Amino acid sequence: MKKNVFLISMVMTLLWFSSLSVFAAEKGTDKSKESLDLAPDAKSAILIERDTGKILFDKNSQEELPPASMTKIMTLLLIMEELDRGNLKLDERIRVSENAASMGGSQIFLEAGEEMTVNDLLKGISIASGNDASVALAERIAGSEEAFVQKMNKKVKDLGLKNTHFNNCTGLPADDHYSTAHDMSVMAKELLKYEKITDYTSLYEDYLRKGTEDEFWLVNTNKLVKFYPGVDGLKTGYTNEAKYCLTATAKKNDMRAIAVVMGTKTTKERNANVTNMLDYAFNQFSTKKLFKKGQPITTLKLLKAEDGKVDVVASESISTLYEKGKEPKNIATSVQMDDINLPLKKGDKVGTLVVKDGKKVLSKTPLTVNKDVKQASFFTLFKRSLGELTKSR
């Protein structure tokens, strides 16, 4: 697309951005903080702020370890993507296969031939870590668990993760099935783009088949959703090999933190280490929200599109992060537009929002279109051309 097509909208956007006065993170290392071990009982751990992705604490976060049921963070991510695209509906009833019903470990005791809604299966995964529910949804999305696992590993590559490989969608022990605290935090960051997920992961208890003789009580495996204010997810994990693992997220005011621990010996140690990290995040740092996910940033004027105008929106929540007690600086934001090729699908990237502190780039966030954009028909182009000729007279 020619640059002059976007000129007016970009100029207006940049003028508007220039009026924003917000806070930026201060750079610099505190030697006293480098010696902190917030997760003394974990083999590896990491603490990040969700919007910026900035690492606030790191302990062996690149060590490859079995993730156990934290694997389901990727499973949930692919499910939420399908829901967002409209390929899956919450009220759709899914028939459970013999294979899904045969899953061991954590389960919601699905029976072969039973039908359950996507909504209830999501509860089964998010609250009770149901392996059977995970496989049932995987088979619905990809046709088989094996095909779904291929999608999982493709998403791993799309996210640029180098130290993760999945062999199933449940986290049950398997050869060549591993991840890292760092990679789990990135997957969690991506999952939390779909803000509805915490409607499920924040529930401490619920019921399936309510009012029937097969009524099943769900109790969250992540006890911090009840005992730590602000915790609303995400996923626990345990196998004999992996020990006790947890990817947790909590929100306080506008700040959301993600904490991952892997390889603790007890649930008490796991919860204590995550609590240490979350306390540190909220006591030491603050954020300033710039844009909410889906908030319009600018408007594209597309001469060859059926709809000549389309909103360009933030693909995820955008914030700046700074240490408490330090004077924040004014930041600058700008929009970089891509070359556009029609047609476009909802969610396609069309540009980037760049946040800077002086010359230092703090973040780059994809900008997307909020609806499908079709190429204009001959009749639409004819009417548009005729209108322009009329205006020029």
Side-chain angles (χ1 to χ4, degrees), residues 201-245:
T201 58
S202 64
L203 294 172
Y204 183 70
E205 60 182 350
D206 208 325
Y207 289 88
L208 297 177
R209 313 177 189 93
K210 184 78 171 176
T212 72
E213 62 179 14
D214 296 320
E215 183 174 284
F216 187 75
W217 184 36
L218 300 172
V219 180
N220 205 318
T221 56
N222 179 10
K223 305 307 179 189
L224 291 181
V225 301
K226 184 174 184 179
F227 297 109
Y228 191 105
V231 169
D232 51 8
L234 275 170
K235 194 69 203 68
T236 59
Y238 173 80
T239 63
N240 287 332
E241 184 185 11
K243 302 305 178 188
Y244 291 93
C245 308

Side-chain angles (χ1 to χ4, degrees), residues 341 343-351 367-372:
N341 295 310
L344 296 169
K345 291 184 178 180
K346 178 184 175 182
D348 279 353
K349 179 180 176 294
V350 292
L367 299 177
T368 60
V369 289
N370 64 349
K371 63 180 181 180
D372 292 346

Side-chain angles (χ1 to χ4, degrees), residues 16 20-23 51 288-292 295 297 317-320 331 333 353 355 363:
W16 179 68
L20 290 174
S21 180
V22 290
F23 302 132
D51 286 5
K288 176 69 176 181
K289 184 75 71 179
L290 300 182
F291 302 100
K292 296 179 181 179
Q295 183 174 338
I297 304 299
S317 178
I318 304 171
S319 300
T320 56
I331 68 169
T333 59
L353 177 69
V355 181
S363 65

